[in-house]
Amino acid sequence: MKITTAYNQSYNTQFLPKEVRRFLFLLILTVLGVGSAWAQDPEPEPTVSKWDGTTVAKAFASGSGTQADPYIINSAAELAYFGSQMNGKTYYVKLTTDIDLDNREWTYGKNSATNFKGHFDGNGKTISNLSIVPTSAKNNGFFSSLQGTAASRAEVKNLIIDGVTISQTADLAGTTITGALAGNVTEY
């Protein structure tokens, strides 16, 4: 590449590293007022999977549920599938996309069948617009309960929950425990 200045001075850039040549090219474009938007690589838009409130996947995206090969959740429908499959199981799960629950009622964290004993890695992703409507079930939340033993505790890490709405529609005083993440955390 040869650069010629306004004063007809020429510079041979073929021996400059690629990064330096790119910098010089962008600097010249910026000085000329052309393509200042090219000076920065655009950040990719984050992927968000929005839930319609009814669609439930038939399986996880991939994985076998072990520590070395966790179940992968990469859509809102797969998160709903996870909710339907908790059932007190001990397995590893990893979230790979942001999920928008669209303020649809999350019904999976409402009974003892949704006690979670496994490991949920949010992978820095966000579950947003979670709506919980407590019922007569004792524990209500994204998980009804997180359970474990001293040797094997349930774990939720690297997860952001944003925009939680808890709406109580009946007088359930003294009968329910409700939390955004879990209605109860138990060691047995």
Side-chain angles (χ1 to χ4, degrees):
M1 175 180 192
K2 190 175 188 179
I3 297 176
T4 304
T5 68
Y7 302 105
N8 286 328
Q9 295 173 321
S10 297
Y11 299 96
N12 187 351
T13 62
Q14 96 184 66
F15 298 107
L16 294 175
K18 183 179 179 181
E19 294 82 16
V20 173
R21 289 193 311 255
R22 182 173 188 268
F23 172 77
L24 288 173
F25 176 72
L26 294 174
L27 179 64
I28 290 168
L29 288 177
T30 303
V31 168
L32 294 174
V34 180
S36 60
W38 293 349
Q40 297 180 15
D41 293 329
E43 296 223 4
E45 290 292 319
T47 303
V48 177
S49 179
K50 194 170 192 174
W51 193 41
D52 64 8
T54 59
T55 304
V56 178
K58 296 188 185 319
F60 292 106
S62 62
S64 61
T66 65
Q67 185 174 6
D69 186 30
Y71 288 127
I72 300 299
I73 297 173
N74 64 16
S75 74
E78 289 168 10
L79 184 68
Y81 176 75
F82 164 73
S84 72
Q85 297 297 307
M86 281 188 253
N87 302 333
K89 294 180 181 167
T90 303
Y91 47 62
Y92 289 80
V93 179
K94 185 174 187 177
L95 190 62
T96 60
T97 192
D98 293 324
I99 306 285
D100 180 356
L101 295 176
D102 197 30
N103 291 309
R104 311 278 181 162
E105 184 180 354
W106 182 253
T107 60
Y108 301 106
K110 287 190 172 187
N111 61 59
S112 60
T114 58
N115 294 332
F116 185 62
K117 299 176 181 177
H119 304 269
F120 190 99
D121 182 359
N123 196 31
K125 303 301 181 188
T126 300
I127 295 175
S128 60
N129 301 314
L130 171 63
S131 177
I132 301 168
V133 180
T135 63
S136 58
K138 185 175 179 183
N139 301 318
N140 299 272
F142 181 75
F143 301 97
S144 69
S145 180
L146 295 172
Q147 295 184 340
T149 65
S152 177
R153 293 194 168 106
E155 175 184 44
V156 178
K157 65 180 185 179
N158 304 320
L159 177 64
I160 301 163
I161 297 181
D162 183 40
V164 178
T165 303
I166 299 173
S167 306
Q168 189 162 330
T169 58
D171 183 9
L172 302 171
T175 62
T176 65
I177 302 171
T178 303
L181 182 62
N184 192 14
V185 178
T186 308
E187 182 174 291
Y188 59 93

